[in-house]
């Protein structure tokens, strides 16, 4: 028997056990093909079915109407930092960004590198990115307004989104897509690296409203144009077939096993609630995000002394709890409680935190 740990990694992250088991079962013979999904043609009927099913599941889960296209692109969420301004900045119209942490900062850097007129319209940088700014100007003249819905490193999350304003909203939803219900209509584009809530690293989900495709400059390189993916159903070249296959299974798990986004959100609320209630009810651990901006996906906290972190992490591993180290840029501790992390895992974590606090408090 293999021993599986409680996995709190920030990404790549825990996948639902039933998905991993199905991958294992189908590994040598995918749907009677006598080949694994790693070996079949991306032009085969079997793979086309997987891709189409993944697209339809995204549509159903998020309630997307026909005005949206669902694309699968390589290059990680980081390539979207460049593709968004390249494709969607309109000549003479500035691009607006809210800076809520490392990933927003990187998105801003790419837009600037491309020579776009970037306006940082709101930020919490001066307060160590510990909250989501309340007041975000909705400029009429902007090409778009870009936000990061969940800040994986700082443990903050937008509870409600700005607007709607005149400019389309664009969001990096890498670390909270499919964790809760939201109204997709104000969004011109949403992107998410798969490796947290959707599947393995290697593919990025891009949801784009069709009118945004009209902005794509014809002279862009083929692989950097959204139109290449939309006109070829993400099959202009060989896509990351295995990643898309696992994504389809994870989306099926959310739809059929969990029972949809409302139930997924309820479980996520319960998990995050359990951790924050515990943190708020004692004075050993200290949460780093402002309570009104706390993330339900990444819970960041500090010990009374940084010197205790090593011991905390070593003890956690011994207790079967993995992935609790804060991001290298900020230190401290972080637990990522994405969709596939179970209530049982969070309970085990709280028990360990109690034990550690009693030992040192
Ligand atoms: C919110 C967010 N955006 C972007 C990225 C970068 O993603 P990728 O490694 O797929 O480029 C990450 C990675 O953790 C992230 O959390």
């Amino acid at each position: 028997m293999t021993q599986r740990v409680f996995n709190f990694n920030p990404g790549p992250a825990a996948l639902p056990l039933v998905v991993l088991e199905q991958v294992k079962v189908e590994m040598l013979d995918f749907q009677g093909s006598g080949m694994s999904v790693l070996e079949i043609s991306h032009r085969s009927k079997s793979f086309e079915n997987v891709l189409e099913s993944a697209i339809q599941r995204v549509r159903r889960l998020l309630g997307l109407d026909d005005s949206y296209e669902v694309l699968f692109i390589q290059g990680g969420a980081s390539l979207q930092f460049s593709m968004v301004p390249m494709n969607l900045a309109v000549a003479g119209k500035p691009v607006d960004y809210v800076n809520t942490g490392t990933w927003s900062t990187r998105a801003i850097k790419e837009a600037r590198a491309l020579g776009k007129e970037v306006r940082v319209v709101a930020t919490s940088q001066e307060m160590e990115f510990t909250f989501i700014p309340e007041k975000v100007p909705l400029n009429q003249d902007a090409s778009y307004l870009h936000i990061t819905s969940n800040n994986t490193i700082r443990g903050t999350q937008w509870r409600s989104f700005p607007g709607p304003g005149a400019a389309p909203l664009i969001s990096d939803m890498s670390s909270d897509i499919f964790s809760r219900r939201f109204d997709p209509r104000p969004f011109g584009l949403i992107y998410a690296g798969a490796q947290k809530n959707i599947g393995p690293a290697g593919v990025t989900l891009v949801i784009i409203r069709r009118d945004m495709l009209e902005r794509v400059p014809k002279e862009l390189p083929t692989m950097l144009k959204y139109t290449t993916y939309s006109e070829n159903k993400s099959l202009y070249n060989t896509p990351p077939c295995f990643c898309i296959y696992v994504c389809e299974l994870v989306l099926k798990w959310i739809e059929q096993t969990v029972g949809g986004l409302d139930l997924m959100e309820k479980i996520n609320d319960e998990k995050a609630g359990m951790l924050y209630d515990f943190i708020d009810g004692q004075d050993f651990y200290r949460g780093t995000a402002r309570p009104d901006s706390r993330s339900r996906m990444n819970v960041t906290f500090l010990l009374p002394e940084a010197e205790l972190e090593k011991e905390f992490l070593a003890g956690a591993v011994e207790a079967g709890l993995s992935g609790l180290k804060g991001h290298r840029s900020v230190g401290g501790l972080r637990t990522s409680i994405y969709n596939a992390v179970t209530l049982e895992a969070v309970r085990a974590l709280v028990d360990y935190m109690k034990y550690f606090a009693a030992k040192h408090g």
Side-chain angles (χ1 to χ4, degrees):
M1 272 291 282
T2 40
Q3 184 70 36
R4 286 185 59 80
V5 297
F6 291 125
N7 180 356
F8 301 99
N9 276 330
L15 287 167
L17 188 57
V18 288
V19 167
L20 297 174
E21 277 166 350
Q22 185 161 351
V23 171
K24 188 173 158 190
V25 166
E26 292 183 330
M27 187 46 85
L28 298 185
D29 181 6
F30 176 63
Q31 295 181 354
S33 65
M35 295 174 269
S36 76
V37 73
L38 291 157
E39 302 164 295
I40 61 173
S41 166
H42 59 293
R43 308 275 172 210
S44 65
K45 192 76 203 145
S46 301
F47 183 72
E48 253 183 44
N49 290 343
V50 169
L51 179 62
E52 181 56 26
S53 174
I55 293 169
Q56 293 310 327
R57 290 190 190 285
V58 171
R59 287 190 171 288
R60 281 196 299 272
L61 279 166
L62 297 182
L64 302 175
D65 63 26
D66 284 347
S67 61
Y68 287 91
E69 297 243 8
V70 175
L71 314 174
F72 291 95
I73 300 181
Q74 299 188 58
S78 298
L79 183 62
Q80 295 310 305
F81 298 160
S82 308
M83 279 182 77
V84 165
M86 247 180 215
N87 282 265
L88 307 180
V90 177
K93 294 178 103 184
V95 291
D96 287 0
Y97 283 76
V98 181
N99 190 358
T100 48
T102 306
W103 304 113
S104 317
T105 304
R106 286 206 184 172
I108 291 164
K109 177 178 165 219
E110 294 307 306
R112 287 206 173 114
L114 286 159
K116 307 299 175 193
E117 189 192 331
V118 176
R119 286 188 302 213
V120 177
V121 292
T123 183
S124 48
Q125 188 164 14
E126 70 286 358
M127 294 295 285
E128 299 273 325
F129 295 119
T130 46
F131 63 93
I132 301 292
E134 293 99 71
K135 289 208 168 57
V136 177
L138 302 169
N139 293 317
Q140 293 270 349
D141 63 338
S143 289
Y144 57 75
L145 170 62
H146 180 286
I147 63 166
T148 310
S149 59
N150 184 73
N151 298 281
T152 326
I153 295 175
R154 299 287 181 167
T156 63
Q157 185 178 30
W158 292 75
R159 281 297 154 95
S160 57
F161 297 118
L169 199 52
I170 292 183
S171 183
D172 175 356
M173 292 198 184
S174 294
S175 49
D176 68 350
I177 194 157
F178 301 120
S179 68
R180 57 173 167 175
R181 187 164 292 293
F182 65 93
D183 178 6
R185 287 171 301 178
F187 291 89
L189 185 140
I190 292 165
Y191 60 93
Q195 65 271 23
K196 300 161 199 303
N197 261 347
I198 325 177
V203 71
T204 306
L205 173 66
V206 174
I207 295 159
I208 185 165
R209 213 172 54 208
R210 289 210 170 92
D211 62 298
M212 303 296 283
L213 292 166
E214 289 158 23
R215 299 183 178 193
V216 177
K218 301 229 167 359
E219 65 278 9
L220 286 183
T222 309
M223 292 303 289
L224 298 177
K225 285 197 275 207
Y226 289 123
T227 42
T228 300
Y229 298 86
S230 68
E231 286 161 11
N232 296 281
K233 206 177 168 183
S234 304
L235 287 170
Y236 174 76
N237 73 329
T238 318
C241 301
F242 182 74
C243 295
I244 295 172
Y245 156 73
V246 180
C247 290
E248 197 278 330
L249 293 178
V250 173
L251 295 165
K252 182 176 169 190
W253 170 78
I254 302 174
E255 268 200 301
Q256 296 185 357
T257 310
V258 177
L261 276 198
D262 293 323
L263 290 169
M264 192 78 257
E265 180 167 2
K266 201 163 159 269
I267 298 168
N268 286 329
D269 275 350
E270 196 176 336
K271 288 185 300 189
M274 206 190 295
L275 269 168
Y276 288 123
D277 285 351
F278 169 68
I279 288 173
D280 290 343
Q282 50 78 60
D283 52 17
F284 185 80
Y285 302 96
R286 187 163 56 81
T288 59
R290 208 171 73 181
D292 64 355
S293 301
R294 283 170 164 175
S295 167
R296 285 174 283 180
M297 295 280 102
N298 311 96
V299 177
T300 48
F301 57 96
L302 299 171
L303 298 176
E305 293 143 40
E307 297 76 62
L308 284 173
E309 280 170 20
K310 239 184 165 163
E311 188 189 333
F312 179 91
L313 291 167
V317 168
E318 250 174 61
L321 310 164
S322 185
L324 294 167
K325 198 172 186 325
H327 191 266
R328 61 188 185 282
S329 61
V330 295
L333 300 161
R334 167 177 59 175
T335 169
S336 299
I337 47 172
Y338 300 123
N339 287 350
V341 174
T342 59
L343 275 161
E344 183 197 1
V346 177
R347 261 183 228 117
L349 172 60
V350 172
D351 284 347
Y352 172 69
M353 288 171 77
K354 281 182 190 161
Y355 157 80
F356 190 84
K359 194 169 156 200
H360 292 278

